Amino acid sequence: MVASFVPPEIICHVLCFLTPCDILRLRAVSKQFRDITYTPSLWRTLYANARLPRPPGPFYSQSVHLLERTLVKSERLAQSWTAQPMEYTSSSEVPLRRSPTSLRIINNQWLVGCETLTRRFVVYDLDVKAGADSQKILWEHNELIIDWDVCPVTSAEGLVLCIVFSDAAYEGPLAQRPWHLLEFRMNSGTGDLYHSHPLTVPTKYFNQPVILDGGRGPFLYIGIQQVIFHVEEQRFYEFPPFYSVLDNFPRGSKALTLAENLFTKTHVITLLRFFHDTEPGHLSTLVQAFTLPNGTESNVLRLSHEGIMDDFPQVVDIIRNSLVDPVNGMTSIRLLDQSFGEGNVCLSCIDLMLPRPTPTNLDSNTVLPMSIRAHNIIRTSNILHGSQNDWARHIEASDDGFVRGLWRFRMNAIDALMYGVHATDSPIMRFTIDASEEKCTAVLGKVLPANWHADLTFDGILHYSHAWMDGTRGRMCYEKNEYGESVAVVMNFD
């Protein structure tokens, strides 16, 4: 056999140019190929270069089995995502002990919950085999947990699971109860989550709900407190008081409101909408980018770039993370703006271009102008056959710009009659976007009802206490409670 005379490392290099499904088929050729196709470096290279939606990675904390399973399922979904209706294939159930409250799904793999009575945080692995014990204790506390939230962020080493909570340990007034932060990282050898010592969150507003936000970067935003925690620097930061150095920012503007916070690998992006006094009814958007301060002693984020959009985006998602040009140092970030109304669909791409500071600008904290470019990706008319203002979205985007998602529309009685379905069966439109090139392109599927299990409807699932979609591997997870017993149902689809 010719392959027996070729060094394995050469074969492995050649296999890096195949697709994940091609690699699986190659395993049946011979024992030599089978052994090579389990090489960790092969799957890390395939994962890094895949033109598919996928979670951040590859990291050494991610097993080869996880990388392989994610890529193969994502490739298979890509072949039918916009061409066929969603089809139910199978489901499994994960028993939830002691009915943990306020479950969250993290990284499309773990369910994290808080057992109020036992005063501990627990995690359920959705990928365990049937019959195996899926529950693990994350952290046990000696006081009653009052409120909490969990959010994943991404460091250079991998996923970091952050939990912020308040408890009943404080003996003073309830209005001054502090918040605490727990960090959990994955052990690269065992795959288990481990944590360090709790940190005290700078707490200015007490007795408020805990709300966290983050993204595919090292920034954790602690809402209400308006504090940013950087998981790599292990420090808390504040936003500076609002100011703008732009000459074209109208000093007579009013009603400045925060529309969105976005978190990338390099910057925190804020979108602020404002009206002009001189142009009544004209709404624009001030876009500001913040990064870590120059001095090691400061705990205030530095405003590095800003620009103005002569429009306002309605629903925004990051579809390509920070990409730094190796030649000129320009950082580009790509956003997706989505809008619907009267049966129309409009998708627009927004590119934020942030020039690299010079040593002089960096030392002087100069705010550089941000270039903002927008172009339409796709605009359709009457595709929804009526007014569809009640909609929800789910989007999976890789850092390099490969996007898979769906929109769910709630139908009124007239539209349901036109489709020949019940009004409670919300139609779904699936779509893909390639944002990796200079110009974004999109493919829209048809508006079709989802073909779920006979006992379930998509709208019915959303009436459960929690429901999540994993668009990378094609599954949905929702929690249900029957006869006092709670289970997490994992439903697979194509």
Side-chain angles (χ1 to χ4, degrees):
M1 184 177 180
V2 177
S4 62
F5 300 100
V6 181
E9 58 271 18
I10 300 299
I11 298 177
C12 190
H13 175 74
V14 173
L15 298 188
C16 291
F17 297 94
L18 300 180
T19 69
C21 289
D22 288 337
I23 300 296
L24 293 192
R25 285 188 286 267
L26 196 61
R27 283 182 180 165
V29 173
S30 68
K31 182 180 184 303
Q32 181 191 22
F33 276 122
R34 176 179 172 81
D35 293 341
I36 292 176
T37 58
Y38 282 105
T39 304
S41 60
L42 169 63
W43 285 102
R44 292 194 177 101
T45 302
L46 288 170
Y47 199 92
N49 299 331
R51 298 178 63 84
L52 295 165
R54 62 206 187 280
F59 302 114
Y60 283 102
S61 58
Q62 295 170 316
S63 67
V64 173
H65 179 63
L66 174 65
L67 299 179
E68 175 186 321
R69 185 174 65 242
T70 301
L71 288 181
V72 170
K73 185 61 178 179
S74 187
E75 182 184 348
R76 289 172 176 169
L77 279 178
Q79 298 169 2
S80 61
W81 188 253
T82 57
Q84 301 174 11
M86 296 181 70
E87 296 280 355
Y88 165 87
T89 57
S90 63
S91 63
S92 60
E93 294 187 352
V94 178
L96 304 176
R97 303 177 188 172
R98 299 183 180 88
S99 300
T101 60
S102 303
L103 286 166
R104 316 279 197 276
I105 192 167
I106 302 297
N107 201 38
N108 296 328
Q109 179 182 355
W110 300 303
L111 276 177
V112 178
C114 175
E115 294 180 350
T116 305
L117 296 179
T118 57
R119 304 177 180 183
R120 64 186 187 184
F121 293 106
V122 295
V123 60
Y124 296 85
D125 192 340
L126 299 179
D127 288 337
V128 299
K129 296 181 180 179
D133 189 0
S134 65
Q135 187 203 62
K136 293 182 180 180
I137 298 173
L138 282 177
W139 192 70
E140 293 188 82
H141 197 34
N142 55 3
E143 298 290 343
L144 182 65
I145 297 170
I146 303 300
D147 194 20
W148 71 286
D149 197 8
V150 59
C151 181
V153 294
T154 307
S155 72
E157 290 76 31
L159 179 76
V160 181
L161 188 66
C162 296
I163 294 178
V164 173
F165 69 95
S166 63
D167 60 24
Y170 184 67
E171 297 180 356
L174 292 179
Q176 297 181 15
R177 180 180 292 122
W179 292 8
H180 307 282
L181 169 66
L182 296 171
E183 292 180 274
F184 297 88
R185 300 169 189 260
M186 184 182 292
N187 185 299
S188 58
T190 64
D192 293 334
L193 294 167
Y194 66 94
H195 74 90
S196 55
H197 296 290
L199 301 175
T200 300
V201 177
T203 311
K204 296 177 289 187
Y205 306 100
F206 301 91
N207 203 25
Q208 298 291 326
V210 179
I211 302 175
L212 303 181
D213 196 3
R216 298 195 171 200
F219 301 100
L220 173 72
Y221 179 62
I222 305 175
I224 304 297
Q225 308 301 339
Q226 299 178 356
V227 170
I228 295 285
F229 179 69
H230 196 281
V231 296
E232 293 174 354
E233 296 292 328
Q234 290 290 290
R235 293 185 60 180
F236 294 95
Y237 296 92
E238 300 177 342
F239 285 99
F242 173 78
Y243 72 99
S244 174
V245 300
L246 290 176
D247 293 334
N248 60 340
F249 180 71
R251 303 307 166 193
S253 63
K254 63 180 182 179
L256 190 69
T257 59
L258 176 65
E260 195 89 38
N261 278 325
L262 303 170
F263 306 94
T264 74
K265 293 187 291 187
T266 57
H267 294 81
V268 177
I269 306 295
T270 64
L271 307 181
L272 299 125
R273 297 170 181 164
F274 64 91
F275 287 97
H276 299 266
D277 275 348
T278 56
E279 302 178 58
H282 183 69
L283 188 61
S284 297
T285 304
L286 175 66
V287 184
Q288 295 188 318
F290 297 88
T291 189
L292 298 184
N294 297 328
T296 57
E297 300 301 322
S298 175
N299 67 337
V300 179
L301 295 177
R302 180 173 65 89
L303 175 61
S304 61
H305 302 79
E306 61 178 349
I308 290 180
M309 292 178 56
D310 194 27
D311 198 352
F312 65 98
Q314 297 196 8
V315 179
V316 181
D317 291 290
I318 298 175
I319 55 173
R320 194 177 68 193
N321 212 326
S322 300
L323 181 65
V324 180
D325 190 303
V327 177
N328 58 25
M330 180 81 71
T331 299
S332 65
I333 301 167
R334 179 161 283 179
L335 311 178
L336 175 68
D337 180 26
Q338 307 150 80
S339 62
F340 298 87
E342 299 302 324
N344 302 325
V345 175
C346 181
L347 302 181
S348 300
C349 172
I350 303 171
D351 287 329
L352 309 181
M353 310 298 294
L354 286 59
R356 177 175 57 189
T358 63
T360 303
N361 291 336
L362 189 62
D363 293 339
S364 62
N365 289 329
T366 301
V367 181
L368 300 178
M370 176 193 306
S371 174
I372 304 175
R373 299 181 304 196
H375 67 264
N376 289 333
I377 302 176
I378 196 166
R379 185 187 296 269
T380 61
S381 301
N382 299 321
I383 195 170
L384 304 178
H385 304 287
S387 177
Q388 300 284 352
N389 293 322
D390 187 3
W391 61 284
R393 76 191 189 281
H394 178 84
I395 291 180
E396 301 276 356
S398 61
D399 283 343
D400 48 2
F402 297 98
V403 185
R404 177 184 299 137
L406 64 83
W407 298 299
R408 176 186 63 87
F409 306 97
R410 187 179 300 278
M411 305 186 73
N412 57 41
I414 297 178
D415 292 336
L417 184 62
M418 294 178 63
Y419 276 92
V421 299
H422 294 290
T424 56
D425 293 333
S426 301
I428 294 172
M429 176 188 286
R430 300 201 282 183
F431 64 92
T432 60
I433 298 174
D434 184 352
S436 64
E437 305 296 337
E438 182 176 354
K439 188 175 180 62
C440 289
T441 57
V443 177
L444 300 184
K446 294 182 179 180
V447 180
L448 297 169
N451 294 329
W452 301 108
H453 189 274
D455 296 333
L456 300 171
T457 66
F458 190 71
D459 237 28
I461 291 172
L462 295 182
H463 285 143
Y464 287 103
S465 54
H466 305 90
W468 307 271
M469 182 75 72
D470 177 357
T472 300
R473 290 187 283 175
R475 61 184 184 177
M476 172 181 286
C477 176
Y478 63 95
E479 177 193 357
K480 71 176 182 179
N481 190 301
E482 292 183 350
Y483 310 108
E485 298 291 333
S486 293
V487 297
V489 180
V490 181
M491 186 169 61
N492 301 300
F493 58 84
D494 286 330

